[in-house]
Amino acid sequence: MPRIRRYGDGCLRRRASAADVAAPETRALLDALWEVLAADGGVGLAAPQINVNQRVVVIRDTGRPAAEQRLDLVNPVIRETFGEDTPFEEGCLSFPGLYTTVVRPKGIVLTYFTPTEGQRELRLRDSDLLARVIQHEVDHLDGVLFIDHLSPVDRWLLGPKLLWIMVRRLFGR
C-alpha cells in the first residue's frame, strides 16, 4: 500500500498533471487512494500526497448515507467561490497532529470527472464541510498546502511543529 508523504517531501509542492479519466490506471489510483484514506482515517486525499503526480482526489462525503460517501474526483476544477470567507480548523494527513485555523470561501462550484461517468463533466455546488474539504484537496493538486493560507506570523509560530513533522519524516516515524 502506498504511504502518505509528509511535510517537507518535494512531491507535495509539485503541480499535478491531468489524469486520463478512462485509463485503467486512474481507476486503480482511485482505489489505492481509498485504501490509504481508510487506513489513515482522513476525509480526503489527493494523489500527490502518495507521490503520484495526477489530478485525482478522493473524499469521504460524510453528509451522505454510508453507502454513498465515496466521492471520486478526476481533474477537478473550482469554477467559482461564493459566500463569506470563513475560518475553520483544518488538519492534513501530510501534517500528522497539526491543526490550525484556515480562512477559505464558504462555498464552491466544482466541475470534475469520474471513471463511471467517462467524458461527461459533472458539476457540484456546496457551501458546507464538503466545500472546505474540496478546496483543501484541490490545493494539493496545485502544490499548495493549508499552511500557505496562514499569515507569515502564524506560520512562524507553527515553526517548531513543522520542524518536528519533518524530523519524524526523515527518521521514518
Side-chain angles (χ1 to χ4, degrees):
M1 174 173 24
R3 66 178 177 83
I4 294 176
R5 300 305 177 100
R6 299 229 174 117
Y7 176 67
D9 191 314
C11 69
L12 297 175
R13 289 296 189 178
R14 287 193 299 258
R15 184 171 171 79
S17 300
D20 179 354
V21 70
E25 296 82 15
T26 301
R27 285 182 188 261
L29 174 57
L30 287 161
D31 291 339
L33 286 166
W34 276 106
E35 184 179 344
V36 172
L37 187 64
D40 286 283
V43 294
L45 189 63
Q49 289 180 273
I50 62 167
N51 198 24
V52 176
N53 192 33
Q54 297 281 308
R55 298 189 71 78
V56 175
V57 168
V58 296
I59 294 174
R60 181 179 297 111
D61 183 358
T62 57
R64 296 180 181 188
E68 300 170 18
Q69 289 186 355
R70 180 173 170 155
L71 181 58
D72 293 339
L73 306 176
V74 178
N75 300 325
V77 176
I78 296 173
R79 299 289 180 184
E80 176 186 338
T81 61
F82 60 89
E84 292 185 24
D85 286 350
T86 307
F88 189 86
E89 187 176 68
E90 290 188 24
C92 180
L93 293 171
S94 293
F95 292 76
L98 180 67
Y99 298 90
T100 190
T101 300
V102 176
V103 177
R104 295 185 188 269
K106 181 160 178 61
I108 61 157
V109 175
L110 181 82
T111 58
Y112 65 100
F113 298 89
T114 67
T116 56
E117 294 294 327
Q119 297 300 319
R120 187 169 75 94
E121 185 177 74
L122 302 172
R123 188 175 182 90
L124 181 148
R125 178 183 172 95
D126 192 80
S127 59
D128 290 317
L129 178 61
L130 181 59
R132 168 72 55 167
V133 174
I134 289 171
Q135 289 175 80
H136 179 108
E137 299 306 334
V138 169
D139 271 355
H140 274 298
L141 301 179
D142 295 326
V144 175
L145 304 174
F146 77 128
I147 61 170
D148 296 339
H149 292 280
L150 303 176
S151 72
V153 170
D154 288 338
R155 281 185 73 178
W156 182 80
L157 291 170
L158 287 177
K161 290 180 181 178
L162 296 174
L163 181 60
W164 179 243
I165 291 168
M166 289 193 319
V167 166
R168 289 178 59 203
R169 176 182 66 85
L170 292 171
F171 293 101
R173 294 184 194 177

